[in-house]
Amino acid sequence: MGKRMEIDRGRRAFLRAGALTALGTAAAGFLGGRAGAAPPRHDGHNHAAHGMAVTVGEVDHARNGFNPTDILTDYDYGRVSTLEDGRTLREYTLTAMDKEIEVVPGLVYPAWTYNGRVPAPTLRATEGDRLRITFRNAGTHPHSLHFHGVHPAEMDGVPGTPGLIGPGEEFVYEFDAEPFGLHLYHCHAFPLARHIAKGLYGAFIVDPPGGRPPVDHEFVMVMNGFDVDFDDENDFYAVNTIPFHYQNHPIPIRVGETVRIYLVNILEFDLINSFHLHANFFHYYPTGTSLTPSEYTDTIMQTQAQRGILEFSYKHPGTYMFHAHNTEFAELGWAGHFLVLP
Ligand SMILES: [Cu+2]
């Protein structure tokens, strides 16, 4: 309990300080739901204190260079060619670069990114494909690409291997896409927590030969967070980086349409993250390495680097929440809506 109270105090102290400085007036509305700090309305009733937490205004997606709505369905299949042995070769280029990202309106975070976005591009291949990834470090610190999957030690991207490179250097990773499933990649330079928390991670989908059964929608969701005051505790939580994005911009689907979510947890500093779907249940495929679901549920949890595939459809039209069932995370940004149309 002592530790917990310290964490809470630290966060609140930051949020209070932020309201007066960096967060500015726009983001002060964010505090309304969190701490009841919004100014009372003319009838003296503090409406925000009863409603859901939410950000006021919009971050500048164009300046950020990415939009979480687009990230849901943005898959990078690489530059495709055929090898002499008939196998498919997929070539990708990833560049590490320092970049400021507006996380909530008015609050800019000095991120480290692959290709200028957080999360990094979702790389997608089919099991057995050859992958060739040219990695350039245009940042100010040593970085690497560490893939989850099966590959030789020298392609593992950890200290002591050729894949950990300094600023201005380049390295080509080459290995086969295996096993099929939902994986991820991230920087493995030390201190690891800092290199991950700064934004160097992305989803890596390996489809089974022949693919999964077709669905109406496939969405990529990377659960992450931001420690904007660098005290090794997260101040904001999100799916695909921007807190409350899918609450402010609900994801439209239709009754009866089949939905597949590729869900990855990369959250640093907190032990466990979770996903809860409202008024519905989903089939869950841990790590996506089997075509048979292991569970039919409405809530799953993942520790860092755990991931899994969710499949569901909605029976009734309406607006439905999805969010971390760690309630604190939900109130600090990890909450969204599906808009289910008739
Ligand atoms: Cu790094």
Side-chain angles (χ1 to χ4, degrees), residues 94-98 113-115 135-141 143 200:
L94 290 172
T95 303
M97 56 184 86
D98 302 0
T113 74
Y114 294 124
N115 290 10
F135 175 50
R136 300 193 177 106
N137 186 352
T140 52
H141 293 73
H143 296 303
L200 291 167

Side-chain angles (χ1 to χ4, degrees), residues 119-135:
T122 298
L123 306 189
R124 190 159 186 176
T126 298
E127 188 178 59
D129 291 348
R130 189 69 170 171
L131 307 182
R132 185 177 294 157
I133 303 131
T134 301
F135 175 50

Side-chain angles (χ1 to χ4, degrees), residues 84-308:
E84 278 183 14
D85 63 4
R87 294 167 63 202
T88 297
L89 172 68
R90 296 182 190 275
E91 296 178 90
Y92 306 85
T93 303
L94 290 172
T95 303
M97 56 184 86
D98 302 0
K99 184 174 175 180
E100 294 199 326
I101 288 174
E102 190 180 17
V103 178
V104 294
L107 182 69
V108 171
Y109 177 77
W112 295 344
T113 74
Y114 294 124
N115 290 10
R117 48 170 271 186
V118 181
T122 298
L123 306 189
R124 190 159 186 176
T126 298
E127 188 178 59
D129 291 348
R130 189 69 170 171
L131 307 182
R132 185 177 294 157
I133 303 131
T134 301
F135 175 50
R136 300 193 177 106
N137 186 352
T140 52
H141 293 73
H143 296 303
S144 73
L145 292 177
H146 167 71
F147 280 83
H148 287 228
V150 177
H151 49 247
E154 63 268 25
M155 294 297 152
D156 203 38
V158 296
T161 65
L164 185 78
I165 62 172
E169 296 180 344
E170 182 176 309
F171 183 77
V172 179
Y173 298 83
E174 188 163 334
F175 51 88
D176 296 334
E178 62 178 330
F180 79 76
L182 171 58
H183 311 309
L184 68 156
Y185 63 100
H186 58 85
C187 180
H188 214 300
F190 289 105
L192 187 55
R194 184 54 58 197
H195 282 249
I196 291 177
K198 286 279 257 178
L200 291 167
Y201 47 78
F204 172 40
I205 298 172
V206 180
D207 290 315
R212 291 176 188 277
V215 289
D216 295 304
H217 301 279
E218 287 195 323
F219 300 128
V220 173
M221 295 190 179
V222 178
M223 300 190 287
N224 57 357
F226 288 91
D227 165 24
V228 300
D229 56 354
F230 305 105
D231 62 353
D232 292 350
E233 294 169 8
N234 291 304
D235 306 296
F236 298 100
Y237 297 84
V239 157
N240 296 339
T241 299
I242 307 299
F244 299 114
H245 181 82
Y246 305 112
Q247 189 168 292
N248 295 329
H249 305 275
I251 302 170
I253 57 176
R254 289 188 183 281
V255 167
E257 284 186 334
T258 47
V259 177
R260 175 178 291 137
I261 294 177
Y262 294 94
L263 181 73
V264 178
N265 179 39
I266 193 61
L267 186 66
E268 192 57 72
F269 306 125
D270 289 285
L271 287 179
I272 290 172
N273 208 334
S274 60
F275 181 106
H276 170 53
L277 186 64
H278 273 227
N280 208 345
F281 271 59
F282 54 83
H283 294 282
Y284 189 59
Y285 305 73
T287 323
T289 45
S290 169
L291 297 178
T292 304
S294 70
E295 196 176 4
Y296 186 53
T297 182
D298 63 4
T299 307
I300 55 98
M301 67 176 186
Q302 296 179 345
T303 191
Q304 190 184 49
Q306 271 193 305
R307 63 275 186 191

